[in-house]
Amino acid sequence: MSMFKVLDIAGSAMNAQMVRLNTTASNMANADSVATTEAEAYRAKQPVFAALLQETANAAGVQVTGIVESEAPVIKRYEPGNPMADADGYVFGSNVNEVEEMANMISASRSFQNNSEVFNTSKDLMLRTLQLGR
């Protein structure tokens, strides 16, 4: 394994955590949104990660394979005064769980920080190794 592979792995992990942070931020931004129908209601999204291990391409790391929507039911509320209400006076809210999203945001942020530390430490060790020859 090349010494630079550590940088590639940490970089791919940081990229994956950025996708996770962006989807979490999108979920939080739409947590209080309402819609006229259940089909139009915002559904929470989560990225799907996969380990990338290909010996033929000499590649390793983390890959985002897609983003899936939550299957949790949307919230139906009776708000006849809301302009988005249907004929019966109901609006459909998002299925975003704000507590879960905050925990997800903290976890993604810490994972990003950890991978950033791996990246910087590896870079520093490579530079010090090069300085041994002086």
Side-chain angles (χ1 to χ4, degrees):
M1 179 185 226
S2 169
M3 288 175 32
F4 296 107
K5 282 295 167 198
V6 173
L7 301 177
D8 292 340
I9 293 168
S12 71
M14 288 191 304
N15 183 51
Q17 294 305 326
M18 282 301 299
V19 171
R20 185 174 167 200
L21 280 168
N22 286 335
T23 55
T24 301
S26 177
N27 290 342
M28 291 296 287
N30 289 292
D32 293 327
S33 65
V34 293
T36 305
T37 65
E38 186 175 354
E40 294 174 354
Y42 182 83
R43 287 171 168 65
K45 295 172 179 49
Q46 298 296 327
V48 178
F49 297 158
L52 180 63
L53 243 167
Q54 298 175 349
E55 291 185 27
T56 57
N58 202 14
V62 179
Q63 179 181 14
V64 178
T65 59
I67 296 177
V68 296
E69 287 187 347
S70 172
E71 296 292 325
V74 295
I75 299 167
K76 183 178 179 180
R77 295 188 306 250
Y78 184 69
E79 292 183 16
N82 192 320
M84 295 292 292
D86 63 7
D88 297 326
Y90 287 97
V91 294
F92 296 88
S94 69
N95 63 356
V96 175
N97 182 338
E98 294 172 348
V99 174
E100 183 179 307
E101 293 299 326
M102 286 302 295
N104 204 8
M105 188 178 292
I106 292 169
S107 174
S109 176
R110 296 256 169 92
S111 294
F112 185 90
Q113 289 171 348
N114 289 340
N115 284 295
S116 176
E117 279 297 316
V118 168
F119 189 92
N120 289 330
T121 302
S122 298
K123 182 184 73 168
D124 290 343
L125 289 173
M126 284 187 237
L127 288 172
R128 288 182 185 175
T129 302
L130 290 173
Q131 291 173 351
L132 287 176
R134 288 186 181 181

